[in-house]
Amino acid sequence: DLGQSNIDFSIRNNQGTTEYLNSVYDFSTYTIKGFTPVSQDFTNQIISLNLDSQIGSMLSSQLKLSEMRDEIDQNQSSNKSHTKQQQVDWQNTLAVNADDTLILGVTLTDTEAEYNKAYNKSLENKAIYLQNQWQYAQATVVLAGRHEDYDSFGTHNTGSINLGYHFSPEQLVYVNAGTAFKAPDLNQLYGSSS
């Protein structure tokens, strides 16, 4: 039994022009001498394809492909900021039994960014994650772990544990503890502080 599959495809595109006043600053007197009207064109685009498949009664699989673009081009100069991120996420959920659910997934991310003439760089990140959720009467235990491999930061492992108790269907108390790592983005790595 191959089960049932759903496919979702979406494109969101926003573009336009932002007009604003840029201050003209006199560094010798530390005063603003006036304002100059300037504008910038922008484009924000997200394209995504999601495939959800129920494979039998115990296994489901989700494949998500996406591309995000964020572009800003100044009209009065050659300044620009362009970012493109492509991502693949494949997640598989196995119902081991009625009280035990196992999730295993892989995420691949590629980010490219260009900012003025300051940099034109890319970063890659590969991750694998695992989560197990157990239900015992009113108690819930969730253990999760993630292994990340950044091309410029090496490998990092993170994890969490969540303990919960259902006093009623509407009342849940839980305690969560975990670790995290966030790699700097390309602008934080190569962008100017000014």
Side-chain angles (χ1 to χ4, degrees), residues 13 25 38 58 74 96 123 136 141 147 152 155 172 176 192:
N13 189 59
Y25 192 74
V38 293
M58 297 173 52
Q74 296 292 83
V96 178
L123 289 175
Y136 301 105
V141 177
H147 175 78
S152 57
T155 61
L172 168 67
N176 189 10
S192 170

Side-chain angles (χ1 to χ4, degrees), residues 10-29:
S10 67
I11 298 176
R12 289 181 26 202
N13 189 59
N14 300 313
Q15 57 188 27
T17 301
T18 303
E19 298 175 343
Y20 59 98
L21 296 174
N22 192 26
S23 61
V24 179
Y25 192 74
D26 184 347
F27 289 98
S28 64
T29 61

Side-chain angles (χ1 to χ4, degrees), residues 75-99:
N75 291 321
Q76 285 72 31
S77 71
S78 61
N79 290 347
K80 63 183 174 181
S81 174
H82 293 186
T83 303
K84 178 174 81 170
Q85 184 176 77
Q86 296 174 321
Q87 187 172 73
V88 176
D89 184 67
W90 184 30
Q91 178 178 300
N92 297 281
T93 304
L94 175 65
V96 178
N97 58 47
D99 299 321

Side-chain angles (χ1 to χ4, degrees), residues 72 80-84 112-121 186:
I72 297 175
K80 63 183 174 181
S81 174
H82 293 186
T83 303
K84 178 174 81 170
E112 298 173 2
E114 180 180 3
Y115 183 75
N116 297 333
K117 295 179 183 177
Y119 64 84
N120 186 350
K121 302 282 186 176
L186 287 166

Side-chain angles (χ1 to χ4, degrees), residues 157-169:
N157 296 312
T158 58
S160 66
I161 182 169
N162 183 322
L163 305 173
Y165 188 82
H166 293 267
F167 289 97
S168 70

Side-chain angles (χ1 to χ4, degrees), residues 47-51 63-67 87-89:
I47 301 171
S48 66
L49 174 67
N50 298 326
L51 173 62
L63 179 63
K64 300 177 182 179
L65 308 172
S66 64
E67 179 177 281
Q87 187 172 73
V88 176
D89 184 67

